[in-house]
Amino acid sequence: MAGTDGARRGPQADKDGPAVVLVDPQLGENIGMAARAMLNCALFDLRLVRPRDGWPNEKAVAAACGADAVLDRLRLHETAADAVADLQLVYAATARRRGMTKEVVTPRQAASDMRRLTAAGVRCGVLFGGEAKGLGNDDVALADAVLTVPLNPGFSSLNLAHAVFAIGYEWFQATDPTAATALTWPKETRPANKAELFALFGHLEKELDACGFLHVKEKRPAMVRNLRNLFQRARLSEQEVRTLRGVIAGLVKGKTEAD
Amino acid sequence: MAGTDGARRGPQADKDGPAVVLVDPQLGENIGMAARAMLNCALFDLRLVRPRDGWPNEKAVAAACGADAVLDRLRLHETAADAVADLQLVYAATARRRGMTKEVVTPRQAASDMRRLTAAGVRCGVLFGGEAKGLGNDDVALADAVLTVPLNPGFSSLNLAHAVFAIGYEWFQATDPTAATALTWPKETRPANKAELFALFGHLEKELDACGFLHVKEKRPAMVRNLRNLFQRARLSEQEVRTLRGVIAGLVKGKTEAD
């Protein structure tokens, strides 16, 4: 779906984003899905510490679904300490409470902090443990803070790739300018203007007067308001106004011919 | 990791949350991982439309990692229209632009809207397409609005279970009260109070005077301030203050014996 060029067009420059460090990962599928999730979120720096099934791993490549921009620069390390040696701010992703005095932050807060610090030239990263045991306490002690995804307390064990995605997702959202909600139109049309909408209302109300639907005089104003309101709420395009006028004409014609 | 009881202790009552509708899902693994991601996020209502490999599916059960609270009440439907018939607000999750005039919302906005409407008794749900093709235009036309996860525009195709997780994650975060950042202490200790901290400072500075480290008189005030500041920033526990005093005493003693 995306070659290196496409993958690098994202809002985040290649070298800037946080590193993702997987310590003792087991399943190639999860490594590959983590790589795919990273590229979805414009993260490129994946580091593996002692992957159980070695590297390269065919299952990881298949599960990455073309996230070559991540796999091509993946690095292997013998210890978690080696893997984070060049980083200046490191989070340990874990849901378990440790017997340590430690700052615990949400992914949203960590993403906001990492965006700010990355912009100031600080190299950041997140440690993730393997599928079976998660991070050991010695790995957690390498980190500045613990990163915990707030989740259902009755079922909080996340799939490894989902944990990576939760962090990447917040990293991407932290500066993404997408409007929370936006009405989009196809290229070939545009929002109807009010004159077009009022002409539709006039057409409909004329035919409804003609067929007797609006014959109860005291009810007419409220019914007209309700119908106008319904079509206002639909945020019609110019094309749709024309379609609805055709619908009205078609229904009127059908009735005439059936009489 | 969690039985039914544990799974239902989450903040979201069983029947309230949005339904997740997978249309033409292919891989059992993805259905199972979607179920696991849903329970992670306290969502329980999973509906399948024409799963390619039928149902039940052993691979789905394995990938669900014990998310029985979701799998046990999973429902099968013959069409997407059937699957959403009881719902009142439906989103279509898709990254592709369609030739339709349609509201496009982010997961965060949709989660906020669904929380508000669910609390008012409105039944909500989200349609997801299969791995190969995503949702068809006829399925998108069943929905009130399109839900698009803002992602790397060069590589925006999400794994199906990750797409489900993105929505569930925002659903859970929308009302989760977890502090964005919090320092936690092990049960057996507590934050040091200032008297304990000042006693540590006094101990350290006395020994640094004795060994000559602070002998440059005009530099002494700034050095003392820097050292005090460093230990303030570490937010020490009472236990750690005692440990550091032992460290100072040990270093002093070692030096004495070496002399």
Side-chain angles (χ1 to χ4, degrees), chain A residues 7-259:
Chain A
R8 292 184 187 208
R9 263 201 311 270
Q12 183 58 26
D14 193 332
K15 66 184 190 311
D16 288 347
V20 168
V21 184
L22 307 185
V23 182
D24 294 316
Q26 302 189 321
L27 298 172
E29 290 87 340
N30 281 337
I31 297 170
M33 284 201 301
R36 177 181 180 182
M38 286 175 61
L39 194 53
N40 285 149
C41 303
L43 292 176
F44 298 85
D45 186 350
L46 177 58
R47 308 172 183 196
L48 304 184
V49 178
R50 299 180 297 262
R52 186 191 64 185
D53 301 336
W55 194 262
N57 180 316
E58 281 306 314
K59 287 181 180 171
V61 172
C65 285
D68 299 336
V70 174
L71 294 186
D72 289 349
R73 54 172 287 187
L74 181 148
R75 282 190 275 168
L76 288 174
H77 296 273
E78 296 198 0
T79 67
D82 282 349
V84 301
D86 62 320
L87 304 179
Q88 295 156 284
L89 177 69
V90 175
Y91 295 92
T94 177
R96 272 192 292 138
R97 283 279 160 274
R98 315 285 177 151
M100 294 185 209
T101 302
K102 202 91 182 166
E103 194 185 11
V104 180
V105 301
T106 62
R108 196 161 296 170
Q109 183 63 45
S112 167
D113 290 343
M114 288 194 290
R115 282 282 182 189
R116 182 170 42 79
L117 291 165
T118 296
V122 175
R123 290 288 293 127
C124 305
V126 185
L127 285 166
F128 296 84
E131 293 90 334
K133 295 188 211 162
L135 289 172
N137 280 348
D138 287 339
D139 297 326
V140 173
L142 297 174
D144 297 271
V146 160
L147 208 170
T148 300
V149 186
L151 289 172
N152 180 357
F155 194 82
S156 64
S157 170
L158 268 181
N159 167 272
L160 174 57
H162 285 194
V164 170
F165 180 62
I167 315 308
Y169 171 83
E170 289 287 6
W171 166 260
F172 197 89
Q173 307 312 308
T175 59
D176 183 71
T178 305
T181 175
L183 198 63
T184 61
W185 285 269
K187 273 178 214 148
E188 62 274 18
T189 187
R190 57 166 176 77
N193 64 33
K194 293 304 179 191
E196 289 158 350
L197 207 58
F198 299 161
L200 167 67
F201 294 164
H203 184 175
L204 178 62
E205 290 152 17
K206 188 191 76 167
E207 295 296 352
L208 292 180
D209 278 325
C211 74
F213 183 82
L214 294 174
H215 76 283
V216 182
K217 207 174 174 184
E218 58 273 31
K219 289 191 178 171
R220 192 181 185 285
M223 291 191 79
V224 164
R225 269 197 305 274
N226 289 345
L227 285 167
R228 289 182 177 192
N229 187 44
L230 172 170
F231 287 111
Q232 289 279 12
R233 210 166 54 228
R235 312 271 305 268
L236 298 170
S237 71
E238 182 272 335
Q239 172 63 60
E240 289 165 338
V241 167
R242 281 190 281 131
T243 300
L244 284 173
R245 296 196 63 169
V247 166
I248 296 165
L251 292 171
V252 168
K253 184 162 162 265
K255 181 172 178 299
T256 306
E257 285 175 349
D259 281 349

Side-chain angles (χ1 to χ4, degrees), chain B residues 134-193:
Chain B
L135 288 172
N137 280 348
D138 287 340
D139 297 326
V140 173
L142 297 175
D144 297 270
V146 160
L147 208 169
T148 299
V149 185
L151 289 171
N152 180 356
F155 194 82
S156 63
S157 171
L158 268 182
N159 168 272
L160 174 56
H162 285 195
V164 170
F165 180 61
I167 315 307
Y169 171 81
E170 288 288 6
W171 166 259
F172 197 89
Q173 307 313 309
T175 59
D176 183 71
T178 304
T181 175
L183 198 63
T184 61
W185 285 271
K187 273 177 216 150
E188 62 274 18
T189 186
R190 56 167 176 78
N193 63 35

